[in-house]
Amino acid sequence: MHALHRVLRPLAVLAAVVALTLTGCAAAAPAVPPAAAVPPPDPVTWSACGPGLECGTLEVPQEYTDPDGPRVALAVMRHRATDPQRRIGTLFFNPGGPGVAATDTLRAMPATPGSPGTFGPEVLARFDVVAMDPRGVGASSAVRCRTDAERATAAASTAADPAVPGGAPLPTLLAEARALAEGCAVHRTPAFLASLSTDNVTRDLDRLRTALGEETITYYGISYGTVVGPMYATLFPDRVRQMVLDAPVDTTLWTGDPLEFLDEVAVASERTLDAWFDTCRAEGAAVCPFGDGDPAAAFDALVAGLERSPAPARAVEGLAPAGVVDGAMLLETARGAAGDRTLWPVLTTALATAQQGDGTLAHLLYRNLTVSPFGVPTATQEQHTAVRCADWNTPTDVAAHTTAAERAVEHAPRIGTRAAYSALACAVWPAPNTDRVTAPLTGAGAPPTLVVGGRLDPVTPYSWAERTVDTLDRAVLLTREGVGHGSYGTDVCVDAAVEATLLDTTLPAAGTVCTPPPATTRPGAVPGG
């Protein structure tokens, strides 16, 4: 869930922001298939596909219980170790989502310094870093459920009501969920959709390990990548050299109770938005020129006002078309931006300019920075939905979703409306997955894992990091104070601990805490400063 994913064009977005600012604007766990059941994969044939990058394709069975059946072609990319004389091995990573293309993330990495999950120069020097787009994602037969025209219409729609759970009456939400599910099944067969489970993704990862001739893997996962990692360590514990899980998901909730999962995410997002309000109020109107000392009340009034009369937004070339910003869009924009400390100053300006009738900056953020786990009208969200429907034990009884929606709104009065009914597509999903792994993901037999949890993570709450440590057979918790989804790549203290773990298999002492500089709401502040 990036993280549940990070936009791949952050520098371009921030450059546009600066310009705008300056211008004022349940089955039992199946056994691992025997090695003899699936013939070994062919080695990957690599070809140059960018500066320092090689690309290839790995063919895997659609279902490992049917090795002679349909195949899936997976897109893979490799960045070779820049210091081959000191090369340790291969570092595999998953950047989250689900629905984030790892190959896109690796290609964009030189342009994303300071972003969560961006590998440092010493890691790139000593590892071949390999990205694999999971099945159904990116260049690996990506799931698509809407046409481009339908997606564009949804992105510009002002039909959602921020005061209504799910944004619309339940009959409308059910019709939309069925249309989405049916569209997915039209584009990809139900058998393919049922194969998108995380246990199959980890089997694909092990096939890639074999194809590369590696005996063990080093692994870094962020957000949903922290479901892939424990699954791999549980199915293939003797094939793990070292593992780091950043912004971890509670895997027990992921596989067992998706409605509680979404409730806890809503509460985490509400807390980060509250943290922005608290900081804005504490810093005062001289620093945070929004809300006249009561930013929370001003925000609620602005959402309601824009819902009645949306603000126009100018086009930003290459990043966002012209459009409008209504209350639902502003709420989603604030949810996304409040969860990233580097965007707090930008959020201040977006709210202040929207209050003045100019929605350009808020619209730009809405189009580029809204992320999972709640439904947004993007192709990535379609892939996210397909993977979680293959993994989740989602109730088919709509009444259970209604009860969960009421609970989410009670627990998170602003963000709970966004979480409400966001698992509805999985309740009507046309591709049941009857053999998914549901056993606890303990990683028993694997080396100790480093778990990195952020105290105010908007997507994967800190309690999930604590639970991950408890669930894993052997793990150490590293805590990062402050706001943000994902920690490695954003803080020197965290970076040092993660890189010592990856490079030297030296984990920090249990209970280690990293404390970055405090976030500010001051417009124009240097990100991270």
Side-chain angles (χ1 to χ4, degrees), residues 54-323:
E54 301 172 323
C55 291
T57 302
L58 177 74
E59 281 205 349
V60 297
Q62 180 171 291
E63 286 291 355
Y64 282 86
T65 54
D66 183 17
D68 297 322
R71 313 284 286 179
V72 180
L74 304 178
V76 294
M77 180 183 288
R78 178 169 67 180
H79 180 282
R80 298 303 294 267
T82 58
D83 188 351
Q85 298 301 316
R86 297 193 301 136
R87 178 183 178 276
I88 294 171
T90 298
L91 172 63
F92 299 83
F93 78 100
N94 183 292
V100 179
T103 57
D104 286 347
T105 303
L106 184 57
R107 187 183 297 278
M109 207 167 279
T112 58
S115 295
T118 300
F119 298 118
E122 185 66 7
V123 171
L124 295 174
R126 302 196 62 193
F127 286 103
D128 290 344
V129 177
V130 171
M132 176 187 78
D133 286 356
R135 53 175 65 200
V137 173
S140 297
S141 302
V143 171
R144 288 175 67 87
C145 310
R146 298 181 173 102
T147 66
D148 288 343
E150 288 170 338
R151 197 172 295 112
T153 298
S157 173
T158 58
D161 185 340
V164 175
L170 180 56
T172 300
L173 296 175
L174 269 172
E176 291 175 348
R178 290 192 177 101
L180 179 70
E182 291 167 3
C184 294
V186 167
H187 182 72
R188 295 291 179 202
T189 67
F192 177 79
L193 294 175
S195 80
L196 301 183
S197 57
T198 300
D199 52 280
N200 274 341
V201 171
T202 60
R203 294 183 180 100
D204 296 342
L205 182 60
D206 197 59
R207 297 285 286 174
L208 181 56
R209 174 198 62 79
T210 301
L212 296 178
E214 297 283 5
E215 292 186 5
T216 60
I217 71 167
T218 303
Y219 179 84
Y220 169 85
I222 184 171
S223 199
Y224 166 74
T226 68
V227 182
V228 176
M231 183 73 77
Y232 188 92
T234 299
L235 297 182
F236 309 106
D238 58 331
R239 301 171 195 176
V240 178
R241 171 187 170 271
Q242 189 61 69
M243 188 169 288
V244 174
L245 306 177
D246 190 355
V249 170
D250 182 337
T251 56
T252 302
L253 285 183
W254 177 264
T255 59
D257 193 346
L259 300 184
E260 175 62 23
F261 173 94
L262 291 168
D263 186 89
E264 294 190 15
V265 175
V267 171
S269 288
E270 186 96 359
R271 285 173 178 162
T272 59
L273 184 56
D274 286 344
W276 187 90
F277 292 144
D278 291 344
T279 303
C280 177
R281 183 172 54 252
E283 290 185 319
V287 171
C288 183
F290 175 76
D292 195 24
D294 193 349
F299 177 79
D300 292 339
L302 181 58
V303 168
L306 290 177
E307 193 61 19
R308 292 190 300 269
S309 179
R314 303 186 304 276
V316 179
E317 186 175 357
L319 292 174

Side-chain angles (χ1 to χ4, degrees), residues 308-402:
R308 292 190 300 269
S309 179
R314 303 186 304 276
V316 179
E317 186 175 357
L319 292 174
V324 298
V325 172
D326 68 357
M329 292 177 181
L330 189 77
L331 178 60
E332 180 64 12
T333 297
R335 180 184 74 84
D340 185 337
R341 65 191 300 271
T342 67
L343 291 177
W344 276 23
V346 181
L347 178 58
T348 305
T349 303
L351 294 177
T353 53
Q355 194 174 47
Q356 296 162 9
D358 181 2
T360 304
L361 181 51
H363 188 246
L364 172 67
L365 291 173
Y366 174 78
R367 297 288 299 217
N368 287 277
L369 296 174
T370 51
V371 297
S372 301
F374 310 134
V376 290
T378 66
T380 298
Q381 180 65 21
E382 294 159 34
Q383 296 163 33
H384 176 94
T385 297
V387 174
R388 70 186 191 182
C389 290
D391 271 5
W392 284 5
N393 181 29
T394 308
T396 57
D397 180 7
V398 175
H401 293 257
T402 297

Side-chain angles (χ1 to χ4, degrees), residues 428-528:
V428 297
W429 197 242
N433 178 21
T434 58
D435 63 353
R436 61 192 180 90
V437 171
T438 59
L441 303 183
T442 65
T449 296
L450 176 60
V451 176
V452 187
R455 188 77 70 180
L456 275 176
D457 190 306
V459 179
T460 55
Y462 181 72
S463 60
W464 290 3
E466 295 175 311
R467 293 180 206 165
T468 297
V469 171
D470 290 340
T471 301
L472 290 170
D473 189 56
R474 293 193 293 170
V476 170
L477 176 60
L478 172 67
T479 299
R480 186 260 310 146
E481 298 290 354
V483 171
H485 182 48
S487 300
Y488 172 61
T490 71
D491 174 71
V492 292
C493 170
V494 173
D495 294 354
V498 168
E499 293 185 1
T501 301
L502 294 174
L503 295 165
D504 305 320
T505 68
T506 302
L507 280 67
T512 299
V513 177
C514 293
T515 306
T520 180
T521 62
R522 181 192 297 273
V526 177

